Amino acid sequence: MFKSSQLETVKTWLVNPINSAFPLHIRIQRAIKQLILDGVLTSGKPLPATRALAKSLAVSRDTVETAYGQLHAEGFIDRRVGSGSFVSMRAHRLSKRPVQHSIPSESHETMLSQRGMAMFLDGGIKNFSAPRPFIQGVPETRNFPLPVWERLERQVLKEYGHLALQAGPPQGMEALRCAVADYINLERGARATPERILILTSSQQAIALCAQMLLDTGERIFMEDPAYHGARKAFEAAGLECIPIPVDKHGLQVDALCNSSVSARVVFLSPSHQFPTGATLTLDRRLTLIEWAAQQKAWIIEDDYDSEFHYAGKPTACIQGMDRYERTIYVGTFTKSLFPGVRIGYMLLPDSLVEPMTRARTLLDGHSAPIPQLTLARFIEAGHFGAHVRSMRLIYAGRLNVLVQLIEKHLFEYVIPIVPDGGMQIFCKLVCEISEQTVIDSARREGIDLFGLTALYASAQPQAGFLLGFAAYTPMEMDAAIKLLAKVFRTLLRKE
């Protein structure tokens, strides 16, 4: 017979509401299996007779017989005619309980490749599932026209039927590639055709593809300093050496790149709205960079992550549209202009890279889901995307002004804001005698998330401070959060 504690374990499985969806024999079978896996019932241990266990559990004998039959079929118990049922002699190989000769658990160092270890230690990219002030790069989703999106999605399902449930082409649905090409030609001054668009899940996937396809391990890539952390981590994970090029108020210092003592065949930058400073690369620097790439047979990776949101004057046309040599790879995303859950980004590629990049993409995730692609295509074609962007541009511009006023009123002793012409966050320099990390840690305990600037620099003298995102937060939410952040600063200064 079972010990009383073992019998109670089985009874608990029977009465636990979590298991109420399972038939009685499944509950009994899983309870006994768990006792075996936990090492409570060891190899050779006899099990109660079906009649006796049925009586103890107040169930029918057939129920216990069915449970035993399943355990026997799975190899957890042996059944001998005339002798009864016993825990299988193989059970010790299944038990979670450590035994004397068990293999010691591997450390991360022995378990992972060098590349895997570098990615693990780098920490990945923090993903905020529920945005709290002042997470940067998060759009306002409460104003998104869900009824319109839902209607368009129903149209897609009605028109395509079960075909919409099948795998899509790895390059992306043609309807969306056409819509994207038309949009960036009109709004960003690109020179795009549907045949040169590759639909992906995100701009991060695009950057990772470029890291794998354009350079070999150990090669160099020029990067802005400071720069988007997700890009640097993707390049370093691919084994590349990131060479920092300083940024000033006019964007990447292209002369420093051209005169660098080391060479590189790729440069990554965000020229329309530099991350994180907000600077816009000037026209003369863009033209110089294009000529450099042509002469060096190098590639320009142009990250145009949030250019839709420009608040002062007309946004500058993208580098790709000026590049007659076709050395520019243009990267865009809809996660900032629409909503993060849409999971659609894209690359506009030179002709020579379309097929290689598309084939490489098949080794990652195969394709993007057709239904959201087709829905987004209609959203763009019908003018809803443009209308939504214009609406959010007005909202974000208003929120930027509110946040600047709040900073000047409540945080003027602690930070200096660099007000951008566009984007979704403000670059704030820390000017008080408190460490960046101390402020970040203290603010997080109060429910405020700040993105530190130090980690974005590769140079030895980074600018201390943080980014304050404003797009996803109402004026009232920002007012409360800024006052709380001011309180955090006052408390920290009193402790100094």
Side-chain angles (χ1 to χ4, degrees), residues 222-258:
F222 288 131
M223 288 196 69
E224 299 165 312
D225 188 37
Y228 170 50
H229 56 294
R232 179 181 288 119
K233 289 186 177 187
F235 296 137
E236 290 177 345
L240 308 183
E241 181 184 356
C242 297
I243 306 300
I245 303 296
V247 170
D248 59 24
K249 63 181 180 179
H250 301 300
L252 181 77
Q253 294 183 13
V254 176
D255 286 345
L257 180 150
C258 295

Side-chain angles (χ1 to χ4, degrees), residues 338-451:
L338 291 179
F339 52 92
V342 72
R343 305 310 300 148
I344 296 178
Y346 59 92
M347 283 197 289
L348 168 56
L349 296 163
D351 285 327
S352 60
L353 290 180
V354 174
E355 187 174 358
M357 288 288 191
T358 302
R359 288 191 184 184
R361 191 272 169 89
T362 66
L363 297 176
L364 298 180
D365 60 352
H367 67 99
S368 297
I371 295 175
Q373 286 189 72
L374 294 168
T375 304
L376 176 55
R378 296 186 179 214
F379 194 76
I380 297 172
E381 291 164 357
H384 301 299
F385 178 69
H388 178 65
V389 167
R390 289 191 293 273
S391 172
M392 299 315 296
R393 189 182 293 138
L394 290 173
I395 291 174
Y396 293 172
R399 291 180 179 182
L400 171 59
N401 290 332
V402 169
L403 182 55
V404 170
Q405 293 171 14
L406 289 170
I407 293 172
E408 291 175 347
K409 181 178 180 180
H410 299 287
L411 301 180
F412 66 93
E413 298 178 71
Y414 318 118
V415 301
I416 297 176
I418 309 300
V419 183
D421 291 333
M424 304 164 73
Q425 59 270 333
I426 292 182
F427 183 99
C428 292
K429 295 181 180 180
L430 192 61
V431 294
C432 62
E433 297 298 321
I434 308 175
S435 74
E436 175 187 287
Q437 194 58 50
T438 298
V439 176
I440 292 172
D441 292 341
S442 299
R444 184 177 296 118
R445 287 192 289 269
E446 297 296 330
I448 298 173
D449 284 302
L450 304 176
F451 193 97

Side-chain angles (χ1 to χ4, degrees), residues 33-345:
K33 180 168 71 174
Q34 195 61 52
L35 290 171
I36 295 172
L37 290 174
D38 289 341
V40 177
L41 296 177
T42 56
S43 299
K45 176 77 174 180
L47 299 183
T50 55
R51 188 187 305 276
L53 184 57
K55 183 178 180 180
S56 298
L57 299 176
V59 299
S60 71
R61 184 182 180 185
D62 286 345
T63 298
V64 176
E65 180 64 37
T66 303
Y68 276 18
Q70 183 64 30
L71 287 166
H72 177 65
E74 294 180 6
F76 285 93
I77 67 173
D78 295 323
R79 308 195 74 182
R80 306 167 196 165
V81 177
S83 298
S85 301
F86 302 82
V87 177
S88 169
M89 296 305 295
R90 299 184 294 275
H92 73 279
R93 299 173 60 186
L94 304 169
S95 174
K96 293 179 181 177
R97 176 177 287 180
V99 294
Q100 186 176 358
H101 301 293
S102 62
I103 301 173
S105 60
E106 295 181 284
S107 65
H108 290 123
E109 287 81 357
T110 59
M111 183 173 61
L112 301 175
S113 67
Q114 290 184 0
R115 183 184 297 108
M117 192 64 192
M119 293 171 71
F120 170 71
L121 293 177
D122 205 33
I125 301 175
K126 188 173 182 180
N127 182 32
F128 300 96
S129 56
R132 306 189 304 179
F134 288 97
I135 297 172
Q136 56 83 27
V138 180
E140 175 62 88
T141 57
R142 290 168 289 192
N143 293 52
F144 185 76
L146 273 175
V148 173
W149 186 270
E150 183 182 15
R151 174 170 54 81
L152 296 175
E153 188 172 75
R154 286 200 306 269
Q155 289 178 7
V156 167
L157 292 171
K158 184 176 180 180
E159 179 177 336
Y160 287 84
H162 69 278
L163 295 176
L165 307 180
Q166 297 178 2
Q171 192 176 344
M173 303 299 288
E174 183 178 7
L176 181 56
R177 290 189 286 111
C178 290
V180 169
D182 289 344
Y183 173 75
I184 59 177
N185 286 342
L186 177 65
E187 296 293 335
R188 301 297 299 120
R191 295 187 297 115
T193 62
E195 294 75 24
R196 296 169 62 188
I197 298 290
L198 173 60
I199 302 298
L200 299 165
T201 58
S202 63
S203 58
Q204 187 67 35
Q205 187 183 43
I207 293 167
L209 260 178
C210 290
Q212 296 289 338
M213 294 295 290
L214 301 180
L215 295 169
D216 290 316
T217 299
E219 289 195 274
R220 301 186 181 101
I221 179 171
F222 288 131
M223 288 196 69
E224 299 165 312
D225 188 37
Y228 170 50
H229 56 294
R232 179 181 288 119
K233 289 186 177 187
F235 296 137
E236 290 177 345
L240 308 183
E241 181 184 356
C242 297
I243 306 300
I245 303 296
V247 170
D248 59 24
K249 63 181 180 179
H250 301 300
L252 181 77
Q253 294 183 13
V254 176
D255 286 345
L257 180 150
C258 295
N259 299 323
S260 174
S261 59
V262 299
S263 60
R265 294 193 296 113
V266 180
V267 57
F268 173 88
L269 73 164
S270 47
S272 297
H273 180 229
Q274 201 276 331
F275 185 93
T277 66
T280 298
L281 192 68
T282 58
L283 178 60
D284 60 330
R285 292 188 182 186
R286 290 171 187 246
L287 296 176
T288 301
L289 187 64
I290 290 170
E291 293 299 325
W292 168 85
Q295 293 170 8
Q296 301 296 321
K297 291 184 169 44
W299 297 108
I300 300 169
I301 304 176
E302 179 179 12
D303 184 11
D304 209 27
Y305 63 100
D306 67 355
S307 60
E308 288 88 359
F309 304 118
H310 201 86
Y311 314 123
K314 284 283 290 182
T316 306
C318 65
I319 290 177
Q320 192 277 340
M322 306 176 188
D323 181 8
R324 65 184 187 276
Y325 305 108
E326 293 196 3
R327 305 300 305 179
T328 302
I329 299 166
Y330 179 89
V331 178
T333 180
F334 290 99
T335 60
K336 305 235 185 304
S337 53
L338 291 179
F339 52 92
V342 72
R343 305 310 300 148
I344 296 178

